[in-house]
Amino acid sequence: EGAAAAAAAAPKSGGFGTAPPTSGGFGGAAAAAGGGASNPFGAGAGASSFARPGAPPAAFPGFIAPNVERSSLPVKADADRVLMRFDRDQRKDKLPDPASAEGAPQCTYPPLQQSCRALSASSSRVMMGICAPDAASGLVALKAWVTDLGLPRGKLHGLDTDGKPVEPPAGPVFIKYNSDSGDAFLSGYGGDYRGVLFTPELGDGAFRQYGYLPLDLPAGGKC
C-alpha cells in the first residue's frame, strides 16, 4: 500500500519512471541514508559532491516553465539576495512565525518562488535535495518543484530492484535530483531537516546553495 501511494505521486510516463538504483550523477546514498547524519549536504560536502569540473560556458539558456514569463522574474542579484537572506535567517532560527502576518506563506512564498525561478532560468545545471517526512510527500514535492522550474524529468531510482517494485523507505526520505539527467534518487533519511536544498549553477564559478526552502513553495503560498 505504501509503494502504491508513493508511485502514484510520480508521473506515470515521460519522466520519473522507476529504475534500478545507480550511483549515476548523484553519488552514493550513504549521506542520505539513516544513521546519525542530519544535513546530507553538510559543511564542505555539498561543494565537493556537486562540483562540476572545467570552466562552464559564458551563457546558458537556463530552465523555465512554459507558463512563466521571463520578463516577470527578478534580476539574478536580487534573487540571490532574497534567497541568501532566507538561508541566513533560517540558520539563525530567525524566520518569522508562519502563523503571523509577517511570516504567512501568502507573504513569504511568492518572492522566494520567483527568486528560485529566476536563478533556475539562468543556470546551466540545477541540483535539489529534498528532505521529506515520507516518500509520498517527497515525490509530490519533487514533481511540483521540477514542474515549477521547468526542469527535465528522468528516471526515479530507489523504488525497485531489477525492475521489481519494492516498498519505499519507512519514515523520512531524502531525494537527490540533478538536471543533467533529470533523474532522481530516493533513499531513507535519518536527519531532522525538512525542506528543499536548492543548488543552481550560474556559470560564474561560485557555489550557491539555499535552504531549507518549503516543500510546498511551488504552490506560491496559496491556501
Side-chain angles (χ1 to χ4, degrees):
E1 188 175 80
K12 298 186 182 300
S13 62
F16 295 136
T18 56
T22 63
S23 57
F26 294 116
S38 56
N39 183 349
F41 295 159
S48 60
S49 298
F50 286 149
R52 179 199 290 271
F60 316 107
F63 304 97
I64 189 168
N67 64 323
V68 175
E69 290 289 339
R70 190 177 292 268
S71 61
S72 70
L73 300 177
V75 298
K76 287 188 291 185
D78 289 345
D80 183 54
R81 190 177 302 112
V82 167
L83 291 170
M84 285 184 65
R85 183 170 61 242
F86 174 89
D87 189 270
R88 178 199 65 209
D89 289 349
Q90 185 178 70
R91 290 175 188 273
K92 295 181 178 180
D93 197 23
K94 290 186 176 180
L95 290 176
D97 185 346
S100 68
E102 181 187 8
Q106 292 88 337
C107 297
T108 59
Y109 280 24
L112 292 171
Q113 180 186 29
Q114 284 292 85
S115 295
C116 288
R117 287 173 169 177
L119 296 191
S120 180
S122 298
S123 294
S124 62
R125 177 167 67 167
V126 171
M127 281 82 64
M128 293 187 295
I130 299 173
C131 300
D134 52 59
S137 59
L139 293 174
V140 167
L142 172 66
K143 180 179 178 181
W145 274 79
V146 165
T147 300
D148 193 64
L149 298 181
L151 298 170
R153 297 181 181 182
K155 294 181 178 179
L156 175 64
H157 303 267
L159 289 180
D160 71 292
T161 301
D162 296 329
K164 296 181 179 180
V166 297
E167 287 288 323
V173 300
F174 181 66
I175 303 175
K176 289 184 179 181
Y177 170 86
N178 188 320
S179 67
D180 279 351
S181 63
D183 286 0
F185 188 99
L186 182 149
S187 60
Y189 171 56
D192 298 324
Y193 291 94
R194 298 293 181 266
V196 177
L197 285 166
F198 174 61
T199 310
E201 287 188 2
L202 303 185
D204 56 4
F207 177 76
R208 294 176 174 84
Q209 189 173 83
Y210 314 96
Y212 290 85
L213 293 157
L215 292 169
D216 62 344
L217 184 64
K222 298 175 182 177
C223 297

